[in-house]
Amino acid sequence: METVAVVRCLSYDAEEVAAAVRRVFSLCGMTAEQIPSPLLLKPNMLSARPPEDGVTTHPALLEAVRAAAPSSRMLIGDSPANAERPIEQYWDACGYRSAAGRMGASLVKFDSALVIEVSAGSETLSVPVTRLLKETAVLNLPKLKTHGLTGLTCSVKNLYGLIPGYHKSMLHGRFVTPDDFSRFLAAYYRAIQPRVFFSLVDAVTVMEGNGPSSGTLRHLGYIVGGRNCLAVDIVCCKLFGIPRRSVPHLNFLMEEEGPPEIAIVGDGVSGGRPARLPQGFSVRTLSHLAPLRPLLRLVGTLFVIEPEVNRRRCTKCQACVQVCPRDAISRQIAINRKRCIRCLCCFEVCPNRAIRVRKSFLARTLT
Ligand code: SF4
Ligand code: SF4
């Protein structure tokens, strides 16, 4: 039985978050002494944006973990998709540098790697992850958001950031369709799972619609935690109003392992309204349902979902150029449609909302 604690937390007030995090650990039967040392805190540091933008894990959660485990040696690290931008800018914008100072924690870069074997389908891949995992347990600190490629980003998806720099983009280039990428993500999670000590989800303010970076903020008012990332994400789907069956990587994990038996403790899960999914997400998922394939092949040229640059917003910062796994964006920010695999990494990293998802009439109609 997997225990998942769901605790009300209505704001990012430091004392309220600290009390909620202490309660999550306690409900999961965890004492301060059981929290490992050293411990890598892995927030979602997708973009160099301030906490109030709701794109990244709020630093109050990191400080609350420190308060719950005062004697653990703590490191804070994540590897954003855009490895060209100095990571110090992320630490400053996200509030992690000042939090680390107050916590006595070290900010770390993922600049050396060890290789893990990931069995995805018929092939086994060697995937680099931060070398810190050799001796350090991970406390996963995801931000609950919708995601244009995977439907949801929470505990399982947040662990993808343990892969350093552009290797993440290269994997997007290798696993082109949402289903293929989600299948890889499920396999990667199985390989990395033993190194993850706990997952503590920032579900106080969440992002719906065009997540993970351009969506709409929604106040949910929870902190959720547990040892099993799949179980935690299933509970978060309920809280957020996303049918778990529509999140392909959770689906693949459940197909292989069966749904985990979950004991929800704490304040319980009351059904809220359904979350708004990212533009085009349902269509891209549908496009991989076998019965629709012949039809969609026929109308394939009419069925288009692709990134488009808004030149008025674009500052030519080059973040999208650097992250594109197919070198499909020129330095003048023109997208080569023939090279583009529609992974939407560019949409994810753009700090200015200058990339939107364009849908053809058919795609809009089927959404
Ligand atoms: S589209 Fe966005 S990420 Fe790309 S150069 Fe313009 S502002 Fe930067
Ligand atoms: S242009 Fe954007 S969507 Fe297309 S391959 Fe590059 S990063 Fe992916």
Side-chain angles (χ1 to χ4, degrees):
M1 183 72 74
E2 302 293 346
T3 301
V4 176
V6 177
V7 169
R8 283 303 258 168
C9 181
L10 298 179
S11 77
Y12 288 113
D13 170 76
E15 284 184 18
E16 186 177 1
V17 176
V21 167
R22 260 198 314 274
R23 198 166 154 234
V24 167
F25 282 139
S26 159
L27 286 163
C28 291
M30 197 124 23
T31 63
E33 294 69 40
Q34 288 171 313
I35 296 178
S37 180
L39 186 64
L40 172 63
L41 308 191
K42 161 63 180 81
N44 181 329
M45 195 173 69
L46 172 66
S47 209
R49 307 252 299 261
E52 52 273 20
D53 280 10
V55 173
T56 53
T57 306
H58 199 286
L61 269 82
L62 282 67
E63 294 195 60
V65 173
R66 157 56 76 216
S71 54
S72 175
R73 186 165 76 82
M74 290 187 185
L75 315 173
I76 299 171
D78 189 16
S79 164
N82 177 12
E84 287 298 298
R85 187 168 184 175
I87 199 158
E88 290 79 3
Q89 292 180 10
Y90 289 80
W91 294 342
D92 288 334
C94 298
Y96 298 150
R97 195 197 291 274
S98 47
R102 290 189 292 273
M103 295 162 62
S106 307
L107 290 159
V108 289
K109 300 178 183 179
F110 295 172
D111 47 12
S112 63
L114 59 87
V115 172
I116 60 168
E117 301 296 314
V118 176
S119 300
S122 55
E123 54 180 337
T124 298
L125 296 174
S126 298
V127 176
V129 292
T130 172
R131 180 167 279 282
L132 292 166
L133 296 193
K134 202 167 182 190
E135 292 167 352
T136 312
V138 177
L139 197 149
N140 193 20
L141 285 158
K143 178 87 175 169
L144 182 59
K145 297 183 289 182
T146 50
H147 193 286
L149 183 67
T150 58
L152 177 86
T153 173
C154 194
S155 308
V156 173
K157 173 70 170 66
N158 195 49
L159 297 170
Y160 193 58
L162 294 169
I163 300 172
Y166 287 129
H167 204 88
K168 287 193 287 293
S169 306
M170 282 157 53
L171 286 166
H172 276 300
R174 180 160 186 164
F175 299 102
V176 172
T177 69
D179 271 7
D180 286 347
F181 180 73
S182 296
R183 209 180 289 277
F184 166 77
L185 197 55
Y188 167 75
Y189 169 66
R190 277 196 304 277
I192 204 90
Q193 183 180 21
R195 301 164 199 261
V196 181
F197 154 70
F198 199 84
S199 191
L200 192 63
V201 182
D202 175 358
V204 180
T205 299
V206 302
M207 182 178 282
E208 63 180 350
N210 283 331
S213 61
S214 301
T216 310
L217 298 187
R218 173 175 161 194
H219 182 257
L220 210 58
Y222 288 98
I223 291 178
V224 182
R227 282 182 176 269
N228 181 305
C229 291
L230 173 60
V232 169
D233 284 5
I234 289 171
V235 171
C236 284
C237 281
K238 274 191 192 167
L239 271 179
F240 200 4
I242 292 186
R244 67 182 190 193
R245 290 274 165 203
S246 71
V247 182
H249 59 275
L250 300 185
N251 224 4
F252 289 131
L253 282 167
M254 284 189 288
E255 271 173 19
E256 286 163 24
E257 301 172 7
E261 284 189 45
I262 302 174
I264 298 176
V265 294
D267 297 332
V269 178
S270 54
R273 68 164 170 82
R276 288 193 297 110
L277 291 174
Q279 229 181 2
F281 174 72
S282 52
V283 176
R284 282 187 289 133
T285 306
L286 279 173
S287 71
H288 295 88
L289 286 178
L292 289 178
R293 274 190 178 143
L295 171 67
L296 292 175
R297 213 171 286 132
L298 269 178
V299 293
T301 52
L302 303 174
F303 184 86
V304 180
I305 295 173
E306 59 188 8
E308 188 174 66
V309 179
N310 178 337
R311 301 211 162 270
R312 273 178 301 181
R313 281 180 171 265
C314 177
T315 58
K316 294 202 166 56
C317 72
Q318 307 292 312
C320 56
V321 178
Q322 303 296 344
V323 82
C324 177
R326 298 294 297 247
D327 294 328
I329 311 178
S330 71
R331 296 196 71 78
Q332 288 70 43
I333 320 302
I335 296 175
N336 180 331
R337 300 283 169 212
K338 286 194 179 142
R339 296 191 66 83
C340 175
I341 55 168
R342 297 170 178 81
C343 65
L344 300 184
C345 288
C346 51
F347 168 74
E348 266 191 49
V349 300
C350 178
N352 300 313
R353 300 185 183 195
I355 294 189
R356 71 178 197 101
V357 179
R358 188 185 81 79
K359 292 192 291 179
S360 65
F361 174 75
L362 181 64
R364 282 199 307 276
T365 308
L366 288 176
T367 307

